[in-house]
Amino acid sequence: MAFCGSSGAGKSTIAAGFEREGYPVLADDISVIDLSAPGGPMVLPSFPRIKLWRDAIDAFAVSTENLERSRPALEKYHVTTHSSFDTRPARLTAVYHLHETRGGEPEGISPMGALPALRDTYSNVYRRRLGQSLGGFEAMSNAVGRLCETVPVMRFGRERNFSKILPTVKTIAGMHAGLCA
């Protein structure tokens, strides 16, 4: 599964939750997806680390004593995941767009319509503006379209509440139990 969203939406925190529950993690920050893989899109492994803000570190009771900071002035740390990091590509089974719920908005997971799925997925392409300036708009748009046609794209409305991370991870893992083997 791939989780996308704006900075601070909880992508890395959810990845840490999956790692904490014993699920393999392939990437944090940037996921490389091979759309030409036989049988459908594959997520390629990345660096064996998750970058977490101090509040997430505290919620998971991780010591920062030997952790490297992302940048000297930030309370964001590199947490290595060697023991749970999977070095094998994995089939992409779904894309979740994280949205923080506010003002009575419902929490939960729901399918996205075609246009919102395309818009939100395209907006999360890494270095999108650079690709556009290099003339790659059409290629990127086509790739996002193929991805959205191939795997379910879901909206994941969630409250910023660390006590709900592990139950949420268990719910999502249960939804994908047959697909994640």
Side-chain angles (χ1 to χ4, degrees):
M1 296 162 271
F3 296 89
C4 344
S6 60
S7 178
K11 303 174 296 291
S12 297
T13 304
I14 288 172
F18 272 96
E19 190 262 343
R20 184 64 58 124
E21 288 296 305
Y23 293 96
V25 174
L26 273 77
D28 181 41
D29 274 345
I30 302 168
S31 295
V32 177
I33 300 171
D34 179 1
L35 290 173
S36 64
M42 298 288 283
V43 179
L44 305 180
S46 182
F47 301 106
R49 59 111 176 103
I50 297 173
K51 293 191 319 190
L52 294 174
W53 287 101
R54 181 55 175 238
D55 54 358
I57 292 267
D58 293 343
F60 287 118
V62 174
S63 169
T64 60
E65 187 174 325
N66 295 316
L67 298 181
E68 177 186 349
R69 287 180 186 241
S70 292
R71 285 187 252 163
L74 291 182
E75 286 283 313
K76 191 171 191 178
Y77 298 87
H78 294 267
V79 178
T80 57
T81 59
H82 292 287
S83 63
S84 62
F85 188 77
D86 199 340
T87 58
R88 299 166 296 167
R91 180 88 38 227
L92 181 63
T93 58
V95 174
Y96 290 92
H97 289 278
L98 302 181
H99 298 276
E100 188 174 336
T101 58
R102 298 169 199 237
E105 245 186 298
E107 288 185 325
I109 297 168
S110 58
M112 293 180 76
L115 290 177
L118 287 167
R119 179 198 62 226
D120 286 8
T121 303
Y122 186 78
S123 73
N124 282 284
V125 170
Y126 184 69
R127 299 289 190 217
R128 177 185 74 252
R129 290 188 180 115
L130 176 62
Q132 290 169 341
S133 69
L134 295 173
F137 175 78
E138 186 174 344
M140 290 186 308
S141 297
N142 289 337
V144 167
R146 284 195 317 275
L147 178 67
C148 291
E149 288 176 342
T150 308
V151 298
V153 180
M154 312 294 276
R155 181 185 189 284
F156 181 1
R158 60 179 287 276
E159 178 184 334
R160 187 179 177 94
N161 181 335
F162 293 108
S163 68
K164 292 185 177 185
I165 293 295
L166 296 181
T168 297
V169 163
K170 290 175 183 179
T171 298
I172 294 170
M175 291 170 41
H176 290 271
L179 301 172
C180 297

